[in-house]
Every structure is written in C-alpha cells, then in structure tokens.
C-alpha cells in the first residue's frame, strides 16, 4: 500500500460487521488509515486484535482482517466509537468522541448485543464521560448491553502484551458464557 493510498483513506468509513443476536460487539476507537484503505477492521499489521481474539478463545483459529465477515457466526461483531478513519486516535476531538458515544448507544440499543466491549479505556472515558473507568467490567449498561472495557490492541499500546491482553479478553469471554459452535 502506497503512502498516497493511505492518505486517500483519511475520513473514510469502514462498514460495521454486525448481525442480530450478537453476544459481544467489539468497539474500536476509530478506523486506522490501513483499515479504511482495505475496508477491514484492525487491519494495520501492528494491531494485535486478531491474535488476541483467537488466543482468548473467541475464535477457533486466528482470523485475518479480510475474514472479518466470519465473526457473526461466532456471535461477534465490530464497530467503532468514531466512524471516520484517521492516522492517529489523537486526531479525534472530544466532541467527536461524545457524539460517537451517543451514536454507539443508539446502535447498541438497535442491535441488542449482550455485551459491548470497548477496546481502549481512554476512548470509553471520552465517549461516555466516565473519567475514572478502568479496564474490566463496568457498572453501567449502554443501550441495554453490559459493558466491558478492554485494552487497546494497537501496537502503540506498550503497556499490554498479546498474552496479557488475551488474558483480559478471556475474562470477558468467560463472563459472556457459551458461544455458537466453531
């Protein structure tokens, strides 16, 4: 992918991967330029979402971003707090996060997943005004769904390894209960 192709992807929207009856709806901060250019969530080569999803037991094998359409068969989906792509999450304004939080709540209410899993505590805090939120299950419900805040799988998040992230994602997996057969 050329730098020009990446720049052309700025502000594009990557369609959600959703269906009725989801167990967990994963929610990213916003799409990367790589995701926008490819049309696939968590597509940047340094992003650890796909290996973590598998290691935590959500999928029977490690999926590639291009295989994201398989997620609903496992009761999983993907959306974002802010729909537009950017090079870095710090390009998203506080107002965009708040508006994104309102849109996300409406989307969750419409789709009815059992769990909303926000990947990134900073994004969750900004979108929902929960300044003291921490990684893990939250007290509040959003759109009727229980909420779990997970570590951001970006390769820039050096505080978490694939193994420690997979452990936290596995806690959600255990709380969410049985999944559709693999």
């Amino acid at each position: 992918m050329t730098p020009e192709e990446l720049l052309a992807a700025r502000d594009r929207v990557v369609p959600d991967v959703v269906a009725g009856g989801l167990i967990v709806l994963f929610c990213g901060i916003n799409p990367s330029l790589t995701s926008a250019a490819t049309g696939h969530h968590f597509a940047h080569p340094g992003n650890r979402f796909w290996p973590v999803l598998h290691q935590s037991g959500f999928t029977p094998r490690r999926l590639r971003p291009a295989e994201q359409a398989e997620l609903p068969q496992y009761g999983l989906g993907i959306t974002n707090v802010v729909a537009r792509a950017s090079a870095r999450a710090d390009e998203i304004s506080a107002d965009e996060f708040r508006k994104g939080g309102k849109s996300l709540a409406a989307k969750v209410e419409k789709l009815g997943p059992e769990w909303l899993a926000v990947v990134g505590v900073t994004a969750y805090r900004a979108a929902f005004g929960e300044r003291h939120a921490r990684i893990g299950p939250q007290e509040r419900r959003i759109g009727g769904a229980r909420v779990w805040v997970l570590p951001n799988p970006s390769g820039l998040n050096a505080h978490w390894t694939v193994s420690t992230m997979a452990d936290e994602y596995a806690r959600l997996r255990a709380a969410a209960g049985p999944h559709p057969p693999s």
Side-chain angles (χ1 to χ4, degrees), residues 123-143:
Y124 176 78
R125 289 172 181 161
F128 297 104
E130 298 279 344
R131 293 183 358 192
H132 302 291
R134 297 187 181 279
I135 298 293
Q138 306 301 303
E139 292 290 324
R140 77 181 295 175
R141 287 180 177 253
I142 294 175

Side-chain angles (χ1 to χ4, degrees), residues 19-178:
L22 295 176
I23 297 167
V24 179
L25 177 61
F26 290 95
C27 180
I29 298 169
N30 75 306
S32 69
L33 296 181
T34 304
S35 288
T38 63
H40 306 300
H41 293 274
F42 302 106
H44 190 279
N47 195 293
R48 300 168 292 176
F49 178 79
W50 299 101
V52 166
L53 201 65
H54 171 61
Q55 286 186 30
S56 62
F58 275 107
T59 58
R61 65 179 178 83
R62 181 176 169 177
L63 300 176
R64 296 183 325 268
E67 297 174 304
Q68 67 185 15
E70 294 181 27
L71 289 175
Q73 71 182 311
Y74 304 118
L76 309 174
I78 303 177
T79 189
N80 287 289
V81 175
V82 175
R84 75 175 183 89
S86 67
R88 296 181 322 276
D90 65 3
E91 295 175 22
I92 306 299
S93 71
D95 187 52
E96 281 181 285
F97 273 118
R98 283 189 296 275
K99 288 178 180 173
K102 289 179 183 173
S103 295
L104 178 60
K107 185 180 299 185
V108 170
E109 188 168 346
K110 179 181 175 186
L111 292 170
E114 294 177 29
W115 288 90
L116 172 64
V118 180
V119 295
V121 69
T122 303
Y124 176 78
R125 289 172 181 161
F128 297 104
E130 298 279 344
R131 293 183 358 192
H132 302 291
R134 297 187 181 279
I135 298 293
Q138 306 301 303
E139 292 290 324
R140 77 181 295 175
R141 287 180 177 253
I142 294 175
R146 291 171 282 182
V147 178
W148 198 293
V149 176
L150 293 167
N152 183 340
S154 166
L156 300 175
N157 182 0
H159 299 292
W160 293 80
T161 66
V162 168
S163 178
T164 58
M165 273 192 279
D167 289 345
E168 185 61 32
Y169 281 55
R171 288 182 59 217
L172 167 59
R173 168 85 170 72

